[in-house]
Amino acid sequence: MPEGIRPVVLAAGKGTRMRSELPKALHRLAGRPMLGHVLAALDAAGLEKPLCVVGYGGELVEEYVGARADVVWQKEQLGTGDAVRKALEVIGDTAWILVVNGDLPLLTGETLKALVEARGPQGSLLAAEVEDPSGYGRIERTGEGGLRRIIEDRDCNEDERAIREVNVGAYLLPLQPLREAIARVGTQNAQGEIYFVDAVTDLAAQGRLAVVTAAAAESAQVNDRRELALAEAALRRRQVERLMRDGVTVLDPDTTYVDATVEVGRDTVLHPFTFLEGETRIGEGCEIGPQTRLLDSVLGDACKVTFSVLEETELGDGTSCGPFTHLRPGTRTGKQVSIGNFVEMKGVEVGDQTKVRHHSYLGNAAIGRRVNIGAGTVIVNYDGRRKHFTRIADGAFIGCNANLVSPVEIGREGYVAAGSTITQNVPDEALAVARERQRNIEGWVARRRSREE
Ligand code: UD1
Ligand code: CA
C-alpha cells in the first residue's frame, strides 16, 4: 500500500431504522460487531491505523475499537459530511483519505485495494450495480466513465431513481482539495443534512474521479434488521465457502454457522446445525455435528464431536465427545479421550485414553491417563462457599455412581467401589469401599403378607 493514505470510518450514526438502544456499528453479525468487519477489511488491505468517527453510543464504540483505531467525536449527527469534517479537524498530515461508511460489513480488503489502485487525480469511489437501488445514492458518470455526480435517493427525480449503479460508501480522496470542497457543502436537500456525497461531486467537477465497480454483494449496507439478517446470511455463506475451498466438507451450508475468526483443517466434515464461534480452531480429519456448538475451543486432529456444546475447551487428537456432552471453560483433554452421553465438565484436565462415557459431572480436577470414570460419577467440588480440587492418578477406576467429595485424591490404579462417597484420599493400588454393607432379610415378604391378612 502506498504511504500517506489515512482511513476514516464513519460510525457516529444512531441507525434510527435499527430501532435499537445499541449504536448501529455494534450490532453483531457472524460473530463480531458490524464495525469489526469494516476494521478487518481495512486491516486486510494493509492500510494504516484508522480514525473512527463516533457519536451515538460513542463510549461503547470507543471501548470496542480500543487500540485498533483513533477516535474522534461527532456529538450531533448532522450528516456524513459533518462527520468527515470532524475527522479532518484532527487528521493531521496525509496526502489522501479513505472514507468508509461503518455499515458495510461485506466489504473486503481486496476491493479496498482496488479502490486505492484505480484512483484518478481527484481520487476514486466505489460503485456497484444492484437489483434494488432504493436507499442508495445513484451514480451519474461522465462521458469518459468517471464520476459526474452522486444523487441521493430522496433527491432523485423519476429518471434518476431508475439508475441501478449506486454509491457503495467508500471513497479515496485527496486531502487538501477535499478540505476546500467540504467547507462549501450546504444542507439544501430533502433531509436538511450535510451530505458528504456533495463534497465528492464537487471534487469530481475539478478533475477525473475514478469509479471502481465492486461486486453487488459487497455493497450491502445495513440500515435495518432485515438488512442485518441478509448481511449475516451472506457473511455466513462466505465463511462456509472459505472452508470448503480449503478442503472442509460442509454437508449443508445453509445450516452451518461459522465465524470469520474460525479455522478448520482439511478433510474435516461439518454436519448440519453446527455452530463454530469465536476463536475456535479445528484440526484435520475431524467430524463435527450434527447439532454442535463450539465456542472459543481448540480441537486436534481426528476428533469427533456430535450433539454437544463445548466452550473454551481443548481436545487432544482422536478425542470423541457426545452425543450430549457439555464441556465448560477450562476443560483440557489429552489424546484419544472418550467422553460420552450426558457428561458435563468444567475446569478439568483429562489425560490420554481416559474414558468418561456416561452421566457424569466432573468439576475442578486433574485426571490422569487411562482412567475409567463410571456412569453417574460426581465430583462434589463445591461446599456452598468455595470450590475444591480433586486429583485422580493414572489408571484409576472409579465405580458407577461414586461421589468424590473434594478436596480428595485417588492414587495410581486405585479403585473406588460403585456407590461410594469418598471423603478421604485413596492410596495407590488400594480399593476404597465407602457405603453401607448389604443386608439380606430372609423371609421378609412372607412375614409382611401374613401380617396384612
Ligand atoms: C450513504 C450515502 C449514500 C450511499 C450509502 C451507501 C451520504 C449522504 N449518502 O447513505 O450515497 O449510497 O451511504 O452505503 O453519505 N454517519 C455519521 N454521522 C452522521 C451520519 C452518518 O457518522 O451524522 C455514519 C453512519 O453511522 C454510517 C455512515 O455514516 O455508518 C453512513 O450513514 P447512513 O445514514 O447509513 O447513510 P445512508 O443514508 O445509507
Ligand atoms: Ca447506510
Side-chain angles (χ1 to χ4, degrees), residues 10 12-13 24 74 77 79-80 101-103 136-137 152 167-168 221:
L10 308 186
K24 182 162 81 172
Q74 182 200 25
Q77 286 80 60
T80 47
N101 289 355
D103 61 353
Y136 288 95
E152 283 301 277
N167 172 28
V168 172
Q221 56 167 329

Side-chain angles (χ1 to χ4, degrees), residues 9-15 17 24-25 53-54 74 76-83 100-104 135-138 150-153 166-169 171 191 193-198 219 221-223:
V9 184
L10 308 186
K14 176 177 186 189
R17 290 161 280 181
K24 182 162 81 172
V53 186
V54 306
Q74 182 200 25
E76 254 184 293
Q77 286 80 60
L78 304 174
T80 47
D82 181 66
V100 192
N101 289 355
D103 61 353
L104 299 169
Y136 288 95
R138 309 298 201 279
I150 307 167
I151 317 143
E152 283 301 277
D153 191 47
V166 301
N167 172 28
V168 172
Y171 326 75
Q191 295 201 89
E193 285 189 3
I194 303 166
Y195 282 170
F196 179 56
V197 295
D198 290 352
S219 70
Q221 56 167 329
V222 175
N223 290 325

Side-chain angles (χ1 to χ4, degrees), residues 110-382:
E110 285 303 305
T111 300
L112 289 172
K113 270 191 202 163
L115 178 71
V116 169
E117 273 148 28
R119 69 188 182 275
Q122 296 300 103
S124 54
L125 145 153
L126 206 61
E129 186 86 29
V130 297
E131 284 296 311
D132 175 13
S134 57
Y136 288 95
R138 309 298 201 279
I139 299 289
E140 203 180 286
R141 295 208 190 205
T142 63
E144 288 77 47
L147 179 74
R148 188 189 308 280
R149 66 185 180 122
I150 307 167
I151 317 143
E152 283 301 277
D153 191 47
R154 297 196 201 201
D155 302 307
C156 283
N157 64 34
E158 213 157 299
D159 290 342
E160 291 159 351
R161 192 156 288 130
I163 299 173
R164 286 176 37 230
E165 185 172 41
V166 301
N167 172 28
V168 172
Y171 326 75
L172 182 83
L173 303 165
L175 186 68
Q176 210 40 53
L178 176 64
R179 278 191 196 283
E180 289 153 26
I182 210 158
R184 292 192 286 267
V185 175
T187 54
Q188 300 80 13
N189 54 59
Q191 295 201 89
E193 285 189 3
I194 303 166
Y195 282 170
F196 179 56
V197 295
D198 290 352
V200 181
T201 294
D202 187 331
L203 286 177
Q206 300 170 40
R208 204 179 110 77
L209 199 153
V211 177
V212 177
T213 303
E218 290 196 37
S219 70
Q221 56 167 329
V222 175
N223 290 325
D224 57 29
R225 308 258 184 172
R226 192 186 67 91
E227 288 169 344
L228 183 71
L230 289 172
E232 165 87 45
L235 271 174
R236 185 192 338 150
R237 188 77 200 194
R238 190 186 280 173
Q239 294 314 322
V240 169
E241 278 171 9
R242 164 176 68 94
L243 296 188
M244 294 192 291
R245 249 195 329 273
D246 291 348
V248 175
T249 294
V250 181
L251 270 69
D252 183 13
D254 288 339
T255 61
T256 305
Y257 294 71
V258 180
D259 285 354
T261 40
V262 168
E263 290 168 30
V264 182
R266 279 166 179 246
D267 292 323
T268 284
V269 178
L270 304 181
H271 292 265
F273 293 100
T274 288
F275 303 77
L276 306 180
E277 301 172 32
E279 303 301 315
T280 291
R281 274 184 286 130
I282 298 173
E284 299 187 356
C286 296
E287 188 107 7
I288 311 295
Q291 301 267 26
T292 289
R293 178 172 185 233
L294 305 185
L295 175 65
D296 296 329
S297 291
V298 179
L299 277 58
D301 298 333
C303 291
K304 209 172 161 171
V305 182
T306 178
F307 292 97
S308 292
V309 176
L310 275 58
E311 308 158 80
E312 294 171 44
T313 285
E314 285 177 32
L315 300 184
D317 297 347
T319 290
S320 66
C321 288
F324 314 112
T325 296
H326 184 191
L327 301 182
R328 294 165 53 203
T331 305
R332 292 222 305 268
T333 84
K335 296 179 180 171
Q336 289 157 4
V337 170
S338 171
I339 305 169
N341 310 270
F342 306 103
V343 171
E344 175 183 348
M345 294 195 203
K346 195 211 78 188
V348 177
E349 285 212 35
V350 184
D352 298 347
Q353 294 175 354
T354 283
K355 297 185 174 89
V356 191
R357 288 220 162 120
H358 332 268
H359 297 269
S360 286
Y361 170 68
L362 307 178
N364 304 96
I367 300 172
R369 303 172 185 210
R370 294 180 316 283
V371 169
N372 195 315
I373 305 277
T377 297
V378 171
I379 292 184
V380 185
N381 62 330
Y382 186 53

